[in-house]
Amino acid sequence: MGSTYDYVIVGAGSAGAVVAARLTEDPDVRVCLLEAGGPPPPAELVPAAVASLQNDPVTDWMFNGDPGGVGKGLVGGRMMVPRGKMLGGSSGLNYMAYVRGHPGDFDSWAAGGAEGWSYDEVLPYFLKAEGFVDSPELHPDRDRHGYDGPVGVSVRQPVLRASNQFVEAAGAAGLKQGDYNGRDRLDPDGVASLFQTTTKDGRRSSTFHAYLEPAMDRPNLTVITGALVERVLLEADGEAVRATGVAYRTENGTREEVTAGTEVVLCAGAIGSPHLLLLSGVGARDELEAVGVVCVVDLPDVGRHLKDHLHTPLMFAADGIGETMTEVALSLGPDALRAPAGPLPADPAEDADLPEALAAAKAEAERRIGEWFTTGRGLASSSLYDAVAFFSTGLGDEHTHDAQIGFLATGYSPPIWESVFRLPPAAFFEDPETFLDPTRGQVVVLPNPVQPHSEGSVTLASADPAVPPRIDLNYFDDPHDVSVMVAVMRKALEIAKAWPGGGLGDPVIPPHLAQAHGHEAGSEPSDALLEDLARHYALTVYHETSTCRIGDVVDPRLRVHGIQALRVADASVMPNVVSGNTNAAAIMIGEKAAEMIASDHGVRLHEMVG
C-alpha cells in the first residue's frame, strides 16, 4: 500500500543524501528516500579497504560497459563501471579524492547556457559542504575553503614519503606545489599536491556519514533500503505530464508505490538516472518502442553525451618507496590476514595455537588497526591514491587544465589486478608473482586526460528494470583523446625520471606490446607503443557524467523538460565533465539542488547561501 510524502528522492548517494538531509531540516517537510542498497559495511569507513568494496554485489552495482576504442587487453574485453549501491552511494565506494574541478569548467557551463552554474555561483555550495582541516603540507588557499561543512576534507596522516616524493618530482617537471582547490588551479603552468580527501579523523566521510547518518532519526525522513525503483509514475493531464511518485520493488519481490505531493527528485547517478527515465518512457521514442516501452515524453538526449575519465597505469618497481601489500594488510587488522588470501586461519577460534611468527603478525595487525581506530592515523587512513598533478597539454580546451596525473603508493596484488581492475597479470607482467610479491614495493603513476571529447551513451537493453542498461563508453572515438592521452603519459614519464634519488627507472611494458613494437628495456617508448598500451590497458576512473545534462534533458534549475514536478540532481546533469575527480562536484550539485527546491516551494533550510 502506497504512502504520500512531499518529496520522493531516488538514490541515497553523493547528491541524494545531501538533498534528503537538507530538505528535512524543515520539520514540516516529509521526505521519502529510496535506495537499492543498504547501510554501508564496516569496511567502508576504512579508507585503505576501498578495493574490497568494488566488485562486491552488496555494495557495487557491478555494471559493465563496452569500452569502444580501448579495453583490448582487459579480461573479457569489458570495462568495469563501479557504482555505489549503498547509503552514500559512490561516495562510499570511491578513492575519496576531493577535487572541485577548474574554475573554467563551471564558467564554460554558464557560457553554454547553464545559467547560475558559473564558478562564482557554485563556489558557495562547495564551501557549504566542506569541513576542511588545515594542514601545512597542503599550502591551502584559506579563502577558498569551507571549515564548518559536514564533509570532512583532509590530508592523510602521517603523510607517506612516496607521496611527498611525487609532489617533489612533479615540481622538478615544472608543476609547482599548491592548492588545486584554490587559486593555484588557475596557474597556467599547472599545480601538484598531496590529495585532499573526503576523510575525517582518518575515516571516510561519505555523504551517508556526513549528511544522512545525523538525520536518520528525524521523524519527517523515511529511508527505504533494498528498494529497486522501477519507474517514475507519470500522469498526463491534457498536454501536461506530471510526476506523481515512483514504483519500486522490495527485497522480497513485492511491488510498492510512493506518492510525491510536490516533487520527485532523481539522484540515481549518471547511469541510474537516465536508466530510470528511459524505463519511465522518457527518451528517444524509436529506441523506447524498440524494447517495448511506451514513450510518454520524446526526449532524445536522455542517456546521451556520456563523459568519463580514463587513465593508463604506468607501473614502477619501487622497493623502499612504495608501500608493500604486506604492510597494507597488516594495517587493516587481523581480518585482512585471514584465509583464503592470508596466512591466518579463516576461523579466529583456531588462533590459539598459532606459530610464533603468525602470532606476532596478528598482534601487530591488532596494534595498527587499534591505532587507526583511536587516532585516525596510519596506513589505514588513506586509499593510497595520495597525490596528484594538474596541467594543460596545450592541445586544446584552453578554458581549463586538460590533464591530471594521479599517484598510487602501492601496487596491489594479482587477485586485485585480475578481479577488480580486470587487467590480467600474466599478460601485463613478465613474472607477475615476482613483480607483485607482497613484500616488495611498487608505485603506479596514472596519466588521465580530463576533458575527453568522445561521448558514450546509456540505453535500454530491456524493458525489465532488473536488467542493467547498455553502457557504451566509446572511449577514443574522437582522435583528439588519443593525442592527449599520449601527451599526458609523456608528462608522467617525465615525472618518474625526475623522482628524487635518480628516477624510478623504467615503467612496466607488457611483454607482448614490447615485442610488437620492438621496444627494448631502457629505451624510450614510442608514441605508438604508448597509444597501444592505453588501448589495451587503460581503465575507467568511474567519473561518468552528463547523461541528463543541463540544456538537453533538464533546465538550469534541474527540472526535466516536458514534465512537471520532476528533477534530476546528480552528476548526470553536468553539461560537461569537470577537469578532475567528480565526487566533490556531485555533492555541490546536491547542495545547490536542495536550495533550488527550497526556494521554489518555501522550504525552510537552516542556511541559504545562493
Side-chain angles (χ1 to χ4, degrees):
M1 187 170 181
S3 302
T4 299
Y5 301 85
D6 297 306
Y7 299 92
V8 173
I9 301 170
V10 179
S14 300
V18 180
V19 177
R22 290 303 189 195
L23 293 182
T24 54
E25 290 175 355
D26 186 335
D28 294 329
V29 170
R30 294 165 302 152
V31 171
C32 179
L33 177 63
L34 296 155
E35 167 58 41
E44 179 260 8
L45 269 175
V46 188
V50 58
S52 69
L53 301 170
Q54 295 182 16
N55 207 37
D56 180 345
V58 174
T59 52
D60 182 1
W61 283 95
M62 297 181 63
F63 291 135
N64 294 288
D66 183 339
V70 305
K72 294 167 66 175
L74 296 182
V75 175
R78 301 281 286 168
M79 186 70 75
M80 62 286 188
V81 183
R83 295 285 88 194
K85 187 181 180 183
M86 59 183 139
L87 298 176
S90 293
S91 74
L93 190 75
N94 65 12
Y95 277 67
M96 291 154 281
Y98 181 79
V99 181
R100 297 177 189 160
H102 191 287
D105 296 333
F106 306 101
D107 289 342
S108 72
W109 291 3
E115 182 181 353
W117 293 87
S118 70
Y119 178 67
D120 286 344
E121 290 168 305
V122 301
L123 179 60
Y125 300 100
F126 281 115
L127 301 183
K128 183 179 182 180
E130 184 182 17
F132 182 72
V133 177
D134 208 338
S135 173
E137 295 93 352
L138 290 178
H139 304 280
D141 177 0
R142 291 180 174 81
D143 293 337
R144 289 293 182 268
H145 287 281
Y147 293 83
D148 300 318
V151 179
V153 176
S154 62
V155 64
R156 62 112 14 90
Q157 296 295 333
V159 175
L160 298 180
R161 184 168 67 96
S163 303
N164 275 332
Q165 287 179 335
F166 173 87
V167 175
E168 183 180 343
L175 309 175
K176 72 176 185 181
Q177 185 173 1
D179 183 354
Y180 62 76
N181 281 323
R183 67 174 68 91
D184 298 309
R185 190 66 200 270
L186 293 168
D187 191 325
D189 295 326
V191 60
S193 175
L194 299 173
F195 258 127
Q196 300 168 32
T197 62
T198 49
T199 55
K200 183 176 183 180
D201 298 326
R203 293 163 171 78
R204 180 190 291 272
S205 185
S206 69
T207 57
F208 169 68
H209 300 297
Y211 289 90
L212 200 55
E213 201 169 27
M216 290 290 277
D217 61 351
R218 292 176 183 169
N220 59 333
L221 174 63
T222 298
V223 179
I224 302 176
T225 57
L228 177 68
V229 176
E230 297 187 322
R231 71 184 191 281
V232 180
L233 302 175
L234 301 175
E235 289 187 0
D237 182 8
E239 294 185 359
V241 177
R242 181 180 182 87
T244 60
V246 304
Y248 69 95
R249 188 184 307 174
T250 67
E251 285 182 306
N252 62 16
T254 63
R255 285 180 165 81
E256 304 284 350
E257 293 183 358
V258 287
T259 299
T262 306
E263 283 193 12
V264 174
V265 187
L266 302 185
C267 301
I271 306 300
S273 286
H275 187 213
L276 191 51
L277 286 174
L278 294 168
L279 289 168
S280 306
V282 182
R285 181 180 300 275
D286 57 342
E287 295 181 8
L288 294 177
E289 292 176 350
V291 293
V293 173
V294 175
C295 182
V296 179
V297 176
D298 189 3
L299 202 55
D301 286 292
V302 171
R304 302 299 183 188
H305 313 295
L306 173 66
K307 292 291 187 80
D308 188 23
H309 291 148
L310 190 70
H311 55 200
T312 304
L314 296 176
M315 188 87 165
F316 297 86
D319 275 332
I321 298 174
E323 298 297 328
T324 70
M325 284 306 292
T326 296
E327 292 297 311
V328 173
L330 281 169
S331 298
L332 291 174
D335 286 349
L337 301 177
R338 297 206 175 276
L344 292 182
D347 184 355
E350 299 176 16
D351 288 353
D353 298 320
L354 289 176
E356 184 176 349
L358 283 184
K362 179 186 175 184
E364 176 62 10
E366 290 173 334
R367 185 194 69 79
R368 292 191 188 188
I369 199 66
E371 178 187 33
W372 168 80
F373 187 80
T374 55
T375 70
R377 296 173 61 87
L379 267 183
S381 69
S382 166
S383 68
L384 302 174
Y385 183 49
D386 260 11
V388 69
F390 298 95
F391 63 99
S392 296
T393 63
L395 296 174
D397 298 302
E398 296 176 359
H399 66 284
T400 186
H401 293 140
D402 64 341
Q404 173 175 341
I405 298 175
F407 174 69
L408 188 62
T410 193
Y412 286 123
S413 63
I416 291 177
W417 276 73
E418 184 95 26
S419 64
V420 177
F421 303 145
R422 296 191 189 159
L423 292 182
F428 198 88
F429 301 99
E430 187 170 351
D431 183 353
E433 296 300 326
T434 299
F435 191 92
L436 296 175
D437 184 312
T439 65
R440 299 180 64 178
Q442 311 90 21
V443 298
V444 188
V445 182
L446 295 162
N448 171 13
V450 285
Q451 283 293 288
H453 290 193
S454 303
E455 295 185 348
S457 63
V458 176
T459 55
L460 288 182
S462 168
D464 182 351
V467 176
R470 180 181 295 110
I471 304 170
D472 292 308
L473 295 158
N474 206 30
Y475 300 122
F476 286 0
D477 179 62
D478 191 316
H480 171 85
D481 297 345
V482 181
S483 300
V484 177
M485 176 64 85
V486 171
V488 186
M489 294 172 79
R490 286 274 175 226
K491 192 68 171 181
L493 292 173
E494 184 181 343
I495 291 172
K497 289 178 181 176
W499 206 270
L504 283 177
D506 294 337
V508 172
I509 302 295
H512 68 103
L513 294 183
Q515 182 178 2
H517 290 269
H519 175 77
E520 296 183 0
S523 63
E524 192 75 14
S526 66
D527 285 358
L529 173 53
L530 294 180
E531 178 182 337
D532 213 7
L533 181 60
R535 289 191 180 276
H536 275 78
Y537 299 114
L539 298 172
T540 177
V541 200
Y542 53 99
H543 291 166
E544 291 82 16
T545 71
S546 307
T547 49
C548 299
R549 68 184 185 180
I550 294 171
D552 291 323
V553 176
V554 299
D555 68 14
R557 295 189 70 78
L558 309 186
R559 298 170 296 201
V560 176
H561 294 316
I563 304 176
Q564 299 172 2
L566 179 62
R567 288 188 215 234
V568 180
D570 53 37
S572 71
V573 305
M574 294 185 191
N576 188 24
V577 66
V578 294
S579 301
N581 305 72
T582 52
N583 191 239
I587 295 170
M588 175 274 290
I589 289 167
E591 288 279 16
K592 188 168 171 63
E595 286 204 8
M596 287 177 171
I597 294 167
S599 176
D600 287 351
H601 300 293
V603 178
R604 295 166 295 164
L605 304 188
H606 291 166
E607 179 186 11
M608 296 279 279
V609 303

